[in-house]
Amino acid sequence: MMQGRPIGEPLREWRHRRRLSQLDLAILAEVSARHVSFVETGRTIPSSAMVLRLAEHLNVPLRERNRLLVAAGHAPVVRERPLEDPHLASARDVLEQILRGHEPYPALAVDRRWNLLFANAAIDVFLEGVDASLLRPPVNMMRLGLHPGGFAPRLRNLRQVRAYLLPRLARQVARTGDAELSALYEELLSYGPEGGPAPPDPTDIALPIRVRHRGAELCFINTVTTFGAAFDVTLEEIAVEAYFPADDDTARFFRTGTGAVK
């Protein structure tokens, strides 16, 4: 996003993305508007502490804070390790424990680009009958849900799900500036009809997901959990999606073992 660019350019982009003026940011960070202007124009190179202060008030993701620091000539301060790193073994164990603990209902963990990291045994609800090409790693759950070869044909309320997921992805693109997420958003737009239903009512706290599976119609609501106390880039970007039965028939389907996955 900002490799080889001076600090001022990406900082200004983040400020514009957050719809703040230089004065707004200066007030939040308790510095002068002149100082913010000098940083953005390259007349001043901020200290690492100042970069982090500005990034905090701009709500910049941890990964991008590291890039801002490098752009200002400083070393990254937030750890960034692959999930396979031995030092993250305990975090992986916790994630797997959370997913197993949600059985017999589906639960999964994804990275910042919606690529599947872990899932529990009930994930078959979403994998049944999908095109094999969509199951080659990395498996992208957004693509799997809305692609015509994914489980979209089994969604009984596909238009409603699209109207919920696409604005959510668009907000994520705007918040992060991630070019790959932007490309994913454009791809997913191409899979459905133009327009579509109005966005969900903001007072609705959960979207029902109605899917055909093994001859039954199941209905779920889901929750998304992130780890706000994480001080590692990889862990901050993980989200856990847990699906709960939204009606008695769905709960009964899983309790009786009908939906058990070997």
Side-chain angles (χ1 to χ4, degrees):
M1 177 179 168
M2 62 188 70
Q3 188 172 2
R5 299 166 64 195
I7 178 67
E9 294 179 26
L11 185 68
R12 182 167 53 250
E13 289 175 3
W14 280 110
R15 180 174 59 78
H16 288 169
R17 191 171 286 123
R18 300 299 183 248
R19 299 182 179 180
L20 295 174
S21 68
Q22 289 182 344
L23 179 59
D24 292 332
L25 178 57
I27 291 172
L28 289 171
E30 299 182 334
V31 297
S32 69
R34 183 181 182 186
H35 185 69
V36 173
S37 175
F38 278 17
V39 171
E40 290 189 358
T41 59
R43 295 180 64 181
T44 295
I45 303 300
S47 66
S48 60
M50 178 56 65
V51 172
L52 293 174
R53 182 191 301 183
L54 295 173
E56 177 69 22
H57 291 290
L58 289 171
N59 195 26
V60 176
L62 294 184
R63 178 182 298 274
E64 303 306 325
R65 295 187 194 195
N66 276 348
R67 293 181 178 178
L68 284 173
L69 285 164
V70 171
H74 306 297
V77 298
V78 185
R79 290 175 299 182
E80 182 178 347
R81 297 172 291 195
L83 193 55
E84 299 77 20
D85 190 295
H87 292 92
L88 297 184
S90 60
R92 293 195 303 271
D93 290 343
V94 169
L95 284 169
E96 292 176 351
Q97 182 179 356
I98 290 172
L99 300 184
R100 287 195 304 269
H102 193 65
E103 292 176 353
Y105 309 120
L108 52 93
V110 294
D111 66 15
R112 65 191 174 109
R113 291 175 174 153
W114 298 95
N115 294 319
L116 183 65
L117 299 174
F118 303 103
N120 67 10
I123 189 66
D124 187 62
V125 169
F126 303 120
L127 302 185
E128 179 190 38
V130 304
D131 192 297
S133 65
L134 297 175
L135 298 180
R136 288 197 289 266
V139 177
N140 187 277
M141 293 306 296
M142 278 279 190
R143 181 179 291 114
L144 197 70
L146 298 182
H147 192 287
F151 63 88
R154 292 191 290 117
L155 282 172
R156 303 304 296 267
N157 60 332
L158 175 59
R159 292 177 68 88
Q160 186 181 15
V161 171
R162 278 178 53 84
Y164 180 82
L165 290 182
L166 289 177
R168 176 178 172 183
L169 184 56
R171 290 192 297 271
Q172 187 179 1
V173 170
R175 187 175 69 250
T176 63
D178 189 300
E180 289 193 31
L181 281 177
S182 180
L184 177 63
Y185 176 73
E186 294 299 326
E187 176 191 338
L188 299 184
L189 278 179
S190 71
Y191 294 150
E194 295 184 8
D201 188 317
T203 61
D204 291 341
I205 64 171
L207 170 74
I209 300 170
R210 303 182 184 279
V211 59
R212 294 286 299 179
H213 178 62
R214 297 183 179 177
E217 180 173 327
L218 307 178
C219 185
F220 299 99
I221 57 174
N222 78 320
T223 62
V224 179
T225 302
T226 57
F227 302 95
F231 293 98
D232 183 283
V233 171
T234 300
L235 298 182
E236 186 207 38
E237 294 173 344
I238 291 174
V240 173
E241 295 221 357
Y243 293 82
F244 296 84
D247 56 37
D248 291 339
D249 288 342
T250 301
R252 189 177 306 111
F253 180 91
F254 286 97
R255 284 201 308 267
T256 59
T258 309
V261 179
K262 301 294 184 182

